[in-house]
Amino acid sequence: MSLLSPPQIPLFRITLYYGPEAVEGASDSVHCVFNVKKRSWKGGVQVEVVMKKKQIARLEGVLQHPSWLEVLLSGVPVEDRGDYREKSHDLLVQLLCFHKLHAFIHQGIRQENIQVSGDALIAETDEAVQREADEIKRQIYVELDLVETEDGPQSL
């Protein structure tokens, strides 16, 4: 008899459908849409997560994203850095939306398509992002597919 238990299977399967994109008619917000499927549901639901640009900019500052990214890009040719900055910003917004979605799911999600407004779960999202700051940076670093320097990924 084995004393090891099987690995925990996640209760939800979350897939980024698209985003970030500007919210139509709201120049101060962007959104990401996720497909969320609970194991017990027959099908998934679409959850649109809206983030206000003010909150994104604030969290970008909390994570020190611009300065951290510039250190990472120091070994990248100058002409390529703009593309990396744009991709990194998109990844950051996707991850911020993901953490807001996670806070929404934690409060209880029903099997219906829904929008999480830009004014909802601000404190919960801020807390999650601060708690997961190193993991967010690690995920961005991995997605950017940068070559490690001999010092490794700096300031992760």
Side-chain angles (χ1 to χ4, degrees):
M1 180 167 158
S2 174
L3 297 177
L4 297 175
S5 60
Q8 186 90 10
I9 298 173
L11 189 57
F12 292 93
R13 181 181 44 82
I14 300 170
T15 308
L16 176 69
Y17 189 58
Y18 67 87
E21 289 186 1
V23 174
E24 208 172 301
S27 62
D28 69 333
S29 301
V30 296
H31 68 141
C32 295
V33 177
F34 295 89
N35 185 298
V36 178
K37 166 106 176 42
K38 190 173 182 180
R39 285 186 297 164
S40 62
W41 297 345
K42 273 192 167 190
V45 297
Q46 301 245 322
V47 181
E48 176 187 14
V49 178
V50 178
M51 295 282 296
K52 299 261 183 173
K53 290 180 180 178
K54 249 187 333 192
Q55 184 180 18
I56 293 169
R58 188 171 38 73
L59 290 172
E60 192 172 36
V62 165
L63 295 170
Q64 300 176 337
H65 181 256
S67 58
W68 170 80
L69 183 62
E70 289 311 309
V71 170
L72 286 183
L73 296 181
S74 63
V76 172
V78 175
E79 61 272 10
D80 296 336
R81 292 181 188 178
D83 291 339
Y84 278 101
R85 285 184 192 103
E86 186 177 324
K87 178 68 173 169
S88 179
H89 182 72
D90 284 352
L91 291 166
L92 175 66
V93 174
Q94 289 170 2
L95 289 164
L96 297 177
C97 287
F98 173 81
H99 285 288
K100 185 171 184 171
L101 171 63
H102 193 272
F104 176 73
I105 289 171
H106 186 71
Q107 287 189 339
I109 184 173
R110 292 188 296 249
Q111 191 176 3
E112 60 187 27
N113 295 340
I114 193 161
Q115 180 193 70
V116 182
S117 80
D119 295 322
L121 302 167
I122 292 173
E124 294 86 345
T125 304
D126 288 357
E127 182 184 313
V129 168
Q130 289 174 5
R131 184 179 60 247
E132 297 295 327
D134 289 341
E135 180 60 18
I136 289 169
K137 289 177 179 179
R138 188 194 69 75
Q139 288 179 353
I140 292 170
Y141 176 79
V142 168
E143 282 294 321
L144 289 178
D145 204 24
L146 292 169
V147 176
E148 286 190 43
T149 63
E150 58 189 49
D151 298 330
Q154 298 176 4
S155 302
L156 280 182

